[in-house]
Amino acid sequence: MKALIYRAYGSPDVLVLDDVEKPVPSPNDVLIKVRAASVNPYDWHFMRGLPYAVRLIAGLRKPKVTRLGADVAGEVQAVGGNVTQLKPGDAVFGFLSGAAQGAFAEYACAPDSAFARKPDRVTFEQAAAVPIAGLTALQGLRNKGRIQAGQKVLINGASGGVGTFAVQIAKALGAQVTAVCSTRNVEMVRSIGADCVIDYTRDDFTKSADRYDVVLDAVGNHSLTALRRILSPHGILVGVGGTTDPWMTGALSRALQALVLSQFGSRKLVGILAKGNNQDLITIGRWMESGTVTPVIDRRYQLSAVPDAIRYVEEGHARGKVLISF
Ligand SMILES: NC(=O)c1ccc[n+]([C@@H]2O[C@H](COP(=O)([O-])OP(=O)(O)OC[C@H]3O[C@@H](n4cnc5c(N)ncnc54)[C@H](OP(=O)(O)O)[C@@H]3O)[C@@H](O)[C@H]2O)c1
């Protein structure tokens, strides 16, 4: 089968489209024919082996798993002997991590727990857009932000992969949503449900007098003290992402600062590392089926053009999700 392979860490130039053995499912695995995949910053962190902490998981000198790609949707081709919940022909979507990484390929294989059934009314592309960004938005708002209906929620980075899901999920959970994005994305973000939009090229939301019960920050471009200031008395800041230096000194000192600041007063500053969870995928799938959540799709690339797709995502200005179509 054709698969995107990388044998060394580096720029998108290390990626090659190669012929490799089609995976064989072990007893707990499901083999799928890939119908769509999507790109996340996660992929280029693995591709570059940066920050270096990634190499503790992915391989110190070179990648242990040479396939790339986490978000996938496809059709079940075969299942291992212990798999009872899925059968050949089922349409599924899921998050491929660890040894199962490899969505940028004609076939992918992972434990059945990685997958959820794709609702009939949802396309393979829409389903492939969900896993990392959708799970991060849901787990960030619900598990970490403890979002409640009627609360005021601010999403920084509302036009990106995580942000476009976060705006819609916060609305689905009954919040009043303020979205922060640039001028060109104001209308798009309004169209997915934001009640109020702040254009970051004109206004600095951390200087406003408004206060929020939950702030989901997918950009990390403001100091923690500035973000803490806009929290309501029991507000929670959920840090999702930001720029990382190779040794993560900035990220680690920010995490330490968040811990210290959370000790004083009732406002909390927490981080999130999203986890694969097929129940959460089912929840988002239901919202998609009812039209409550609709993935925003920016661009589509062919499998052979994954390096270009990753280059584009690395620039940091995707509008919603970047898809790999098969
Ligand atoms: N912790 C976790 O588990 C987890 C999971 C997923 C992602 N992440 C991290 O979360 C971050 C976001 O991920 P993503 O998939 O959403 O990335 P993405 O799709 O690449 O996000 C790009 C978006 O960010 C917006 N943006 C850039 N600068 C901005 C600014 N100053 N203010 C507001 N918006 C700005 C861009 O809008 P413009 O073009 O208008 O600037 C663009 O729409 C990344 O750092 C990623 O590594 C973490």
Side-chain angles (χ1 to χ4, degrees):
M1 68 167 188
K2 294 271 182 233
L4 227 280
I5 296 295
Y6 73 129
R7 296 187 176 88
Y9 294 120
S11 74
D13 297 336
V14 299
L15 304 174
V16 289
L17 189 62
D18 216 341
D19 284 305
V20 302
E21 290 288 316
K22 188 170 157 182
V24 177
S26 52
N28 296 318
D29 281 352
V30 172
L31 173 74
I32 65 165
K33 180 170 173 52
V34 178
R35 298 286 300 273
S38 81
V39 181
N40 292 280
Y42 179 94
D43 301 315
W44 65 254
H45 286 303
F46 273 85
M47 178 191 76
R48 290 189 182 270
L50 290 175
Y52 290 124
V54 165
R55 300 187 189 199
L56 296 175
I57 310 162
L60 286 182
R61 292 176 179 279
K62 57 181 187 172
K64 285 187 282 197
V65 177
T66 56
R67 298 176 311 277
L68 196 64
D71 284 0
V72 77
E75 250 166 56
V76 175
Q77 290 278 303
V79 298
N82 296 342
V83 177
T84 54
Q85 300 295 315
L86 293 169
K87 58 179 188 324
D90 286 345
V92 295
F93 65 122
F95 171 35
L96 309 180
S97 61
Q101 186 166 279
F104 306 147
E106 288 176 320
Y107 294 88
C109 191
D112 59 346
S113 58
F115 298 106
R117 255 174 230 278
K118 178 186 78 62
D120 289 343
R121 290 178 53 191
V122 173
T123 67
F124 283 105
E125 286 195 344
Q126 289 174 326
V130 171
I132 290 185
L135 290 174
T136 306
L138 175 59
Q139 294 170 8
L141 290 166
R142 184 197 58 196
N143 305 5
K144 298 288 181 171
R146 295 187 225 138
I147 188 173
Q148 303 290 327
Q151 283 189 328
K152 287 181 70 180
V153 172
L154 179 136
I155 313 290
N156 187 29
S159 56
V162 173
T164 47
F165 280 106
V167 169
Q168 298 181 74
I169 289 173
K171 286 299 296 176
L173 295 171
Q176 193 190 326
V177 178
T178 296
V180 181
C181 65
S182 67
T183 316
R184 73 187 183 109
N185 290 319
V186 168
E187 279 318 309
M188 181 272 281
V189 162
R190 221 188 283 283
S191 76
I192 57 171
D195 300 288
C196 176
V197 183
I198 298 173
D199 179 345
Y200 74 76
T201 67
R202 294 183 186 164
D203 297 305
D204 178 349
F205 66 89
T206 64
K207 303 253 160 67
S208 134
D210 293 322
R211 297 291 177 265
Y212 300 93
D213 301 301
V214 181
V215 172
L216 188 95
D217 180 19
V219 185
N221 58 331
H222 291 279
S223 71
L224 290 179
T225 45
L227 292 166
R228 186 175 185 263
R229 207 182 56 76
I230 61 158
L231 291 177
S232 61
H234 290 278
I236 302 177
L237 166 72
V238 183
V240 170
T243 48
T244 40
D245 51 284
W247 293 103
M248 285 180 65
T249 46
L252 289 172
S253 72
R254 206 170 157 94
L256 198 62
Q257 197 191 353
L259 204 65
V260 172
L261 286 171
S262 294
Q263 303 307 308
F264 302 99
S266 51
R267 292 172 286 182
K268 298 289 172 228
L269 290 71
V270 298
I272 178 173
L273 199 54
K275 293 188 179 67
N277 179 321
N278 56 10
Q279 288 307 313
D280 286 349
L281 290 177
I282 290 169
T283 299
I284 300 171
R286 287 204 189 102
W287 278 324
M288 291 199 292
E289 199 167 29
S290 66
T292 308
V293 169
T294 305
V296 176
I297 295 177
D298 179 356
R299 297 184 179 185
R300 292 170 174 80
Y301 292 82
Q302 300 291 309
L303 180 60
S304 57
V306 165
D308 293 333
I310 292 184
R311 264 185 212 103
Y312 177 61
V313 169
E314 270 196 284
E315 286 168 14
H317 296 289
R319 305 176 84 194
K321 294 292 302 175
V322 172
L323 267 287
I324 307 302
S325 298
F326 287 72

